Amino acid sequence: MSRNQLYVRGLRDSVPMLVGIAPFGIIFGTLAGVGGLSLWQAVGMSMFVYAGSAQFIVISLMGAGASAVVILLTTFIVNLRHVLYSATLQPQVQGLPQRWRLLLAFWLTDETFAVVQRYYLVHGRQPLAHWYWLGVASALYTCWVGSSLVGVLFGQAVPDMASWGLEFAMLATFIGIVVPLLRNQPQIAAALAAGAVALMTWSLPYKLGLMAAAFSGIAVGVLLERRQSPHPQDASGKEVHS
């Protein structure tokens, strides 16, 4: 596929995520306006921070009068999951110019990772696949910034929008993307373990439960894959046990 075809396909494949991002962004814009941020401050945060959950936390901490140090440390902890995302996708961007890697790194979010990783799992590594990533990321970024703007401008006209539960659309979209990718026992077990740990640790501060769930899922998946893989053999054909 050509660059343009991959880019357009990325735009198209991002559409299900837009259904969840748009209401989420509107809610953020509404809360930012209620919290005292100006139009440009709220939209600027979406443009230059571009981290949904971290932005909500910043609004909450600012309203509580937290110091800049507390805000920075909290958002750092919340966004640690991106280390896992970047480590997973790093082999796919090897050899790309630094300008490409910096751009794609800035646009790496939960939603972008879900769509792009699914593409790589199905199609493997391709020389021009970063154009697909660019299509996905640019669509999601535009939607987030645009919906934040709508929230700031019009969100307060709708009473108590934050309590409508519109963010569930994002969860439903993630479930629809992830579940079809669970094709073997280690993957299913990893997902179940991560889900169970997430439920047990949901009350931890700074979204530490999310990190605990991620590492638990990884540990279970790796353990089961190692148990299922055949033992290596030496030159005589005998199994070698470590």
Side-chain angles (χ1 to χ4, degrees):
M1 298 178 71
S2 68
R3 296 176 180 179
N4 289 339
Q5 289 174 323
L6 285 167
Y7 181 81
V8 171
R9 179 167 183 172
L11 293 175
R12 185 180 68 244
D13 288 353
S14 69
V15 170
M17 285 297 183
L18 302 182
V19 176
I21 289 178
F24 207 49
I26 292 173
I27 293 173
F28 166 75
T30 302
L31 295 178
V34 172
L37 294 187
S38 68
L39 171 66
W40 294 112
Q41 287 173 331
V43 176
M45 185 182 293
S46 289
M47 291 178 64
F48 299 112
V49 177
Y50 189 44
S53 58
Q55 290 179 223
F56 278 96
I57 290 173
V58 168
I59 295 297
S60 175
L61 291 176
M62 289 177 61
S67 66
V69 174
V70 171
I71 293 175
L72 289 174
L73 287 176
T74 303
T75 53
F76 174 77
I77 293 172
V78 168
N79 287 324
L80 278 176
R81 66 190 186 279
H82 289 82
V83 175
L84 301 176
Y85 297 161
S86 59
T88 301
L89 292 174
Q90 191 274 337
Q92 310 297 344
V93 298
Q94 283 183 338
L96 288 181
Q98 187 178 43
R99 65 180 183 275
W100 266 103
R101 286 182 279 137
L102 288 174
L103 179 63
L104 297 179
F106 173 72
W107 273 346
L108 181 57
T109 63
D110 302 319
E111 300 79 17
T112 303
F113 175 80
V115 179
V116 171
Q117 176 65 0
R118 181 183 184 184
Y119 179 85
Y120 282 127
L121 288 175
V122 173
H123 300 282
R125 185 176 180 181
Q126 299 174 342
L128 297 176
H130 52 286
W131 285 93
Y132 175 87
W133 186 338
L134 181 66
V136 173
S138 58
L140 299 182
Y141 178 76
T142 302
C143 180
W144 176 251
V145 175
S147 58
S148 298
L149 175 61
V150 171
V152 176
L153 292 176
F154 306 109
Q156 296 184 52
V158 181
D160 205 20
M161 179 182 291
S163 65
W164 288 14
L166 297 177
E167 62 273 16
F168 179 75
M170 181 72 72
L171 299 178
T173 303
F174 266 115
I175 292 172
I177 288 179
V178 172
V179 170
L181 298 178
L182 305 178
R183 300 175 179 175
N184 55 47
Q185 183 180 1
Q187 292 173 352
I188 295 173
L192 292 175
V197 173
L199 290 174
M200 291 186 292
T201 59
W202 69 272
S203 60
L204 291 179
Y206 311 129
K207 293 190 179 293
L208 291 175
L210 182 61
M211 292 299 298
F215 284 118
S216 299
I218 292 171
V220 170
V222 170
L223 178 62
L224 289 179
E225 282 192 346
R226 287 182 176 178
R227 291 181 61 181
Q228 290 184 359
S229 61
H231 293 290
Q233 297 180 341
D234 60 17
S236 64
K238 296 180 179 180
E239 290 186 351
V240 177
H241 298 274
S242 56

